[in-house]
Amino acid sequence: MATKKSSVQAIRGMHDVLPEQTPRWQYAEKIIRKVLASYCYKEIRLPIVEKTELFKRSIGEVTDIVEKEMYTFDDRNNDSLTLRPEGTAGCLRASLEHGLLHNQVHRLWYYGPMFRHERPQKGRYRQFYQLGVETYGMSGSDIDAEIILLTDRLWKELGIRDKVRLELNSLGTTEERLVYRAKLVEYFKQHIEILDEDSLRRLETNPLRILDSKNKDLQSVISDAPELMDYLGEESRSHFESLTSMLDKLGIKYQLNSRLVRGLDYYGKTVFEWITDDLGAQGTICAGGRYDGLIEQLGGKANHAIGFAMGMERLLLLLEQLENLPIRRSVDVYMILVGTEAEKEGLPLAEFIRNEVGGIKLQVNCGGGSFKSQFKKADKSGAEYAVILGEDEVSRGEVSLKPLRADQEQKNMQRNDLIQLLRDKINSDIK
Ligand code: ATP
Ligand code: MG
């Protein structure tokens, strides 16, 4: 006798989004697209796999992502490829490859899964979705303000504005960071006995990243460290000041956080994060900054870029905390078909209704069953109405309508009257 095979399970940290959850995702995605369109940002679609070299060159060899989080493999030609851990590098690669940066400005967005081999926990997964926004060719702080404004509107439209706060910093220029870096190394060397293994390594390779450490034992030595803000030159300082004064004018509150250095190497000048206190340790739902330097690093001519990425799962966790999201029901009408004749007429009638009643969500009972069992399914579907077609209705060329959510009688009617009634009801529902 054959033994039952054990079932194959999903990869740890890579989640299915089940049908009961997708309406919430679609709701968020719809609002995101609407907001992006209202600022005239255009979608770009990018491959999920890129050459490993792209990420090593852009994200930086001494970062969590490149050191330990990438899904890298050799393909059949022995090329080293990597599942994208983030989208900025790929977006810039594509834009350079297709000449989008040549005397032009661009405001772009992309949406899709990213992959990082991290320890899975609430709000931290190995496959997760990001919305990424990247802008090219604009050097002023006005575009910095615009993308922050856009995120601010996004939170408002999603109804989570009171759950997130903005933190802001300037990382200055490469030269300014070098001077600061030397000061920082000097400082941390005076406290070397407190540093953990990771920080000791970073002291040599990427000391600013020590400021980003999540180790609680390091927090007090980190909070007394010299601040980058004090090492900014004239230009960086005025860029930052004009950004903050624009945010003031727009009424967007922010906290300056001189420890905000971001995990990736390619940032300079403005960096920001939107943080929530409602999700525990995984509190950053959106993070971004200016990365002018990356363009030359990837072989382009000197240019300007600023962008951000938002984590969709964390956003969804926040939306779950809201009551009564305005999500339209997934079934308006459930069609019950009793008897062979009715079953034959069901699909054509349903199609007629879909043609006549724009936007209607109509589910036909397929696979037969007694009236009682179909009625149960109709109720369970969440539909507002059941349209019933039985022997009597077929012979008279009529249909019956039964409201499922109100205490009202079933009514016989002509097909045209049904159309009129559904049009009125559905139109008042679709906004
Ligand atoms: P964290 O400090 O939380 O690890 P990060 O600095 O690595 O975040 P970014 O690379 O800036 O994150 O990515 C932008 C956003 O994408 C994050 O703010 C977060 O919302 C989301 N994100 C990043 N990594 C994950 C993950 N493993 N699972 C789910 N969401 C993630
Ligand atoms: Mg991370």
Side-chain angles (χ1 to χ4, degrees):
M1 225 174 76
T3 52
K4 191 167 176 265
K5 295 207 177 81
S6 62
S7 54
V8 179
Q9 314 244 303
I11 297 164
R12 202 163 106 82
M14 302 202 179
H15 291 283
D16 305 304
V17 181
L18 297 176
E20 74 180 67
Q21 301 162 321
T22 47
R24 224 181 284 127
W25 280 76
Q26 290 169 350
Y27 164 77
E29 288 160 0
K30 192 171 157 193
I31 291 180
I32 289 168
R33 282 168 199 273
K34 192 182 90 183
V35 169
L36 288 163
S38 74
Y39 290 78
C40 306
Y41 283 57
K42 294 182 183 157
E43 185 182 6
I44 182 167
R45 299 194 183 192
L46 302 161
I48 284 174
V49 188
E50 296 273 1
K51 290 183 183 156
T52 303
E53 186 199 347
L54 174 69
F55 301 115
K56 287 199 173 161
R57 268 173 66 180
S58 57
I59 298 170
E61 300 264 3
V62 197
T63 54
D64 283 351
I65 293 182
V66 172
E67 279 179 354
K68 51 191 185 198
E69 295 176 358
M70 295 206 302
Y71 281 91
T72 297
F73 60 96
D74 286 345
D75 76 355
R76 285 167 196 273
N77 304 327
N78 286 328
D79 291 326
S80 179
L81 307 182
T82 295
L83 298 185
R84 63 182 186 192
E86 54 96 61
T88 300
C91 189
L92 186 50
R93 194 265 316 135
S95 300
L96 286 169
E97 199 170 325
H98 300 286
L100 301 193
L101 270 68
H102 190 64
N103 293 332
Q104 299 169 47
V105 299
H106 281 282
R107 292 170 164 88
L108 305 176
W109 65 271
Y110 49 84
Y111 177 80
M114 306 294 160
F115 302 84
R116 295 184 195 175
H117 196 274
E118 306 200 63
R119 196 166 68 78
Q121 51 199 293
K122 184 182 170 196
R124 190 175 293 288
Y125 313 101
R126 291 181 173 174
Q127 173 175 331
F128 58 98
Y129 279 73
Q130 274 186 348
L131 163 73
V133 163
E134 316 288 352
T135 73
Y136 302 129
M138 290 166 275
S139 61
S141 56
D142 45 359
I143 186 68
D144 304 25
E146 181 181 279
I147 66 168
I148 291 173
L149 180 63
L150 182 157
T151 46
D152 178 75
R153 176 178 287 272
L154 203 50
W155 316 139
K156 284 181 185 151
E157 303 247 342
L158 288 162
I160 55 165
R161 185 60 187 88
D162 58 343
K163 289 175 175 283
V164 291
R165 61 191 153 79
L166 175 64
E167 293 197 354
L168 205 58
N169 194 18
S170 173
L171 297 181
T173 62
T174 315
E175 295 72 35
E176 289 153 11
R177 275 200 307 285
L178 273 177
V179 176
Y180 172 67
R181 181 188 155 124
K183 287 282 170 208
L184 199 62
V185 170
E186 196 179 300
Y187 169 82
F188 280 126
K189 280 195 170 154
Q190 289 161 10
H191 301 275
I192 204 139
E193 69 291 347
I194 305 172
L195 298 186
D196 59 13
E197 202 183 313
D198 249 10
S199 305
L200 284 172
R201 202 162 36 86
R202 286 184 175 143
L203 195 55
E204 305 299 327
T205 53
N206 193 348
L208 265 71
R209 288 294 319 282
I210 301 176
L211 300 174
D212 200 31
S213 165
K214 298 195 170 89
N215 184 346
K216 290 205 170 57
D217 300 339
L218 295 185
Q219 294 315 309
S220 87
V221 69
I222 288 174
S223 76
D224 291 341
E227 299 197 355
L228 178 48
M229 211 40 103
D230 298 331
Y231 293 82
L232 295 189
E234 187 56 41
E235 220 264 311
S236 296
R237 197 178 290 274
S238 79
H239 185 98
F240 192 66
E241 278 164 8
S242 92
L243 170 62
T244 51
S245 75
M246 262 183 270
L247 294 178
D248 291 338
K249 190 154 187 207
L250 290 162
I252 299 174
K253 294 204 172 61
Y254 50 85
Q255 290 165 308
L256 299 182
N257 177 359
S258 57
R259 317 287 157 217
L260 189 68
V261 294
R262 309 285 307 113
L264 312 176
D265 266 1
Y266 48 54
Y267 289 109
K269 289 192 179 154
T270 309
V271 287
F272 65 93
E273 289 193 359
W274 286 97
I275 299 170
T276 176
D277 297 322
D278 294 354
L279 294 182
Q282 272 56 253
T284 304
I285 71 164
C286 173
R290 185 167 274 283
Y291 55 93
D292 295 351
L294 181 60
I295 302 172
E296 278 179 286
Q297 213 172 303
L298 287 185
K301 281 204 202 118
N303 207 323
H304 305 281
I306 179 166
F308 68 81
M310 181 189 59
M312 285 298 289
E313 284 78 3
R314 294 184 194 177
L315 175 70
L316 266 288
L317 285 168
L318 275 187
L319 290 182
E320 269 170 31
Q321 297 176 357
L322 300 183
E323 279 163 25
N324 300 326
L325 285 186
I327 294 178
R328 196 163 110 66
R329 60 177 170 259
S330 54
V331 183
D332 296 319
V333 172
Y334 192 98
M335 186 179 281
I336 294 175
L337 305 168
V338 189
T340 331
E341 286 311 307
E343 281 176 18
K344 277 191 219 153
E345 283 205 29
L347 291 181
L349 173 61
E351 215 47 20
F352 171 68
I353 297 174
R354 290 192 192 99
N355 287 340
E356 297 296 321
V357 186
I360 194 170
K361 295 178 174 178
L362 169 59
Q363 182 168 335
V364 178
N365 187 84
C366 289
S370 67
F371 176 78
K372 201 172 156 202
S373 77
Q374 292 192 43
F375 197 81
K376 262 194 196 157
K377 285 190 206 160
D379 189 41
K380 210 172 155 204
S381 75
E384 193 69 19
Y385 298 99
V387 164
I388 301 157
L389 202 59
E391 307 279 323
D392 286 355
E393 283 88 356
V394 172
S395 65
R396 286 198 302 260
E398 292 181 348
V399 288
S400 293
L401 184 79
K402 168 80 177 131
L404 296 172
R405 313 291 149 201
D407 196 12
Q408 287 168 21
E409 288 303 301
Q410 180 171 326
K411 259 204 301 206
N412 265 25
M413 58 183 76
Q414 299 291 316
R415 292 182 179 193
N416 285 340
D417 295 335
L418 174 73
I419 296 297
Q420 203 45 58
L421 191 145
L422 290 177
R423 270 188 196 144
D424 294 346
K425 298 287 181 196
I426 305 302
N427 281 343
S428 68
D429 249 33
I430 304 175
K431 287 278 146 45

